[in-house]
Structure formats: C-alpha cells, structure tokens
Amino acid sequence: MRRHQSVRFGRMSPSLLLLGLHLLTGVSGQPVYDEDWVNVFQQGFNFQCPHRELLVAVRSDFSAAEGSDRLWTFECQPPPHDLGEPTECWWDDINRAGMEWFSVCSKNGMVAGVQSQYFSSVMDREWQFYCCRYGHRCPYSCWRTTDVPWYYGEEGDMTVPVYGYFIRGAQTTFSGVLRDRQWKYIVCRMTNFDCEFQNF
C-alpha cells in the first residue's frame, strides 16, 4: 500500500517562490498582469464609464508578439456636482485603423467611454469616443498631454493630474514600421455657466 506524503511550504525561501512563479509564467506563455484590462489581445472592446462619470485615466501595455496590439484599462471620475446630470450622450467619429487621427467630442462633450476594434490586416485598431454633454456648459482651459507612451512599444500611462479636468479628445500618430500608436490626450475643464458657443 502506497502512503501519501504531505508537502509543507511553510519554510520555502522567497527566492525559490519567485523562481517558481517565474517558471509558471514562462510555461503558460502568458504574462501575469495585476490590472483589470478591458480587452484581450486582437479583440474588440466597448468601455463606458458609470453613469455621470467621465474618463480621467488611461493605461495600456504593448506586445509585439500579440499582433503589435495593446491591453487597455480606463478609470473614470464624477464631475463636480454643479454640472448636474448629462443631458445627452453619443458615439462620436471613428478613427480608421492605420491612420493618424485628431478628435474632440462634438457638441461641447467630454469623453465618457471608448470602443475599439482590432484589424489584423494593418495590425492596428480603429477608435471611437463615447461623449456626454452637460446642458450648455463649455469646455475651457484645455491643454494637450505629452506623448503617451513616450516611445512606441512602451507601456502607456496617463492620469489627469487635477480634479475637475477631464479628457475631451485625443490626437494620435501611427508608426507603420513599429505598428503602434502614440497619443496626446486633450484635457479640459467645464464652465460653471451656460455659454453660446459650440466649441469654446
């Protein structure tokens, strides 16, 4: 009769534990991430902020081995209460895969979501912003971030640094050689009064 041995892990050295985790990652072939990514590589996704919240942070991680694609995650935040409820939300213009793109939400909107579809023929994604407007409030005091990521192929990470500012749009450049994008996000705040301008 064969006896079963119990294995005790209580005294395993931290270096052996790390080596074991490293080997498990290598065997599976998939990296282990601590993020709640909204997509898997080479698949479409549709992300919308919770009701009455707007986009304030974007993070992505690139993989040349996975079709030169990125994993994406987003964070949202409610705007100041004096803005009230959004009066209208819509999907704005689409950026075509493999093309440069500049887009700000029409009708004085701010970004409250993102959807994207991957195209293997060009190893790139098309993008579309979900925009919401708040009555007749207008964006102002806008600025553009530096390139995110700094270099093609790197991790991208952008968080709006000041409460009350939100993402209104973006400008992207696409490298046909490296099959990756750099983003400059357009960040604005909203007036606390109604205005007459379509785009202030």
Side-chain angles (χ1 to χ4, degrees):
M1 183 172 189
R2 184 179 297 173
R3 303 184 85 182
H4 293 281
Q5 276 188 307
S6 62
V7 180
R8 298 178 67 186
F9 294 99
R11 295 181 180 235
M12 182 180 281
S13 75
S15 59
L16 282 176
L17 183 59
L18 287 173
L19 176 62
L21 288 173
H22 176 73
L23 289 174
L24 282 174
T25 302
V27 169
S28 72
Q30 294 293 321
V32 177
Y33 295 105
D34 60 355
E35 296 287 338
D36 291 327
W37 303 109
V38 300
N39 67 307
V40 295
F41 288 117
Q42 303 181 47
Q43 298 294 317
F45 68 84
N46 178 316
F47 171 83
Q48 291 182 38
C49 293
H51 177 68
R52 210 188 159 276
E53 293 191 12
L54 297 169
L55 204 64
V56 293
V58 181
R59 184 165 183 233
S60 66
D61 198 39
F62 180 79
S63 173
E66 294 285 352
S68 294
D69 196 17
R70 287 182 174 271
L71 297 175
W72 293 87
T73 187
F74 306 93
E75 290 184 24
C76 305
Q77 191 176 69
H81 284 289
D82 61 0
L83 277 183
E85 294 287 318
T87 51
E88 181 185 6
C89 295
W90 65 95
W91 287 103
D92 222 62
D93 296 334
I94 296 177
N95 133 262
R96 299 300 174 194
M99 310 274 293
E100 294 192 0
W101 181 49
F102 176 87
S103 177
V104 293
C105 286
S106 58
K107 299 188 269 187
N108 292 330
M110 301 294 256
V111 178
V114 182
Q115 69 179 2
S116 178
Q117 186 64 44
Y118 180 83
F119 291 89
S120 58
S121 58
V122 288
M123 298 173 74
D124 190 29
R125 292 180 165 274
E126 71 176 19
W127 295 91
Q128 190 174 26
F129 287 140
Y130 184 67
C131 302
C132 292
R133 71 180 179 91
Y134 290 78
H136 295 284
R137 306 295 178 88
C138 295
Y140 77 103
S141 189
C142 299
W143 49 277
R144 194 175 302 164
T145 68
T146 56
D147 285 326
V148 181
W150 281 104
Y151 300 101
Y152 293 110
E154 290 186 344
E155 177 184 292
D157 196 352
M158 193 287 296
T159 301
V160 175
V162 181
Y163 177 69
Y165 281 81
F166 300 93
I167 297 172
R168 177 146 193 251
Q171 173 184 346
T172 73
T173 54
F174 178 69
S175 168
V177 175
L178 300 173
R179 315 312 290 181
D180 193 20
R181 286 186 176 274
Q182 285 179 307
W183 296 73
K184 288 182 171 144
Y185 295 95
I186 298 154
V187 177
C188 304
R189 61 188 316 169
M190 297 293 277
T191 59
N192 57 6
F193 56 87
D194 289 346
C195 59
E196 300 176 7
F197 298 91
Q198 165 121 12
N199 286 300
F200 191 61

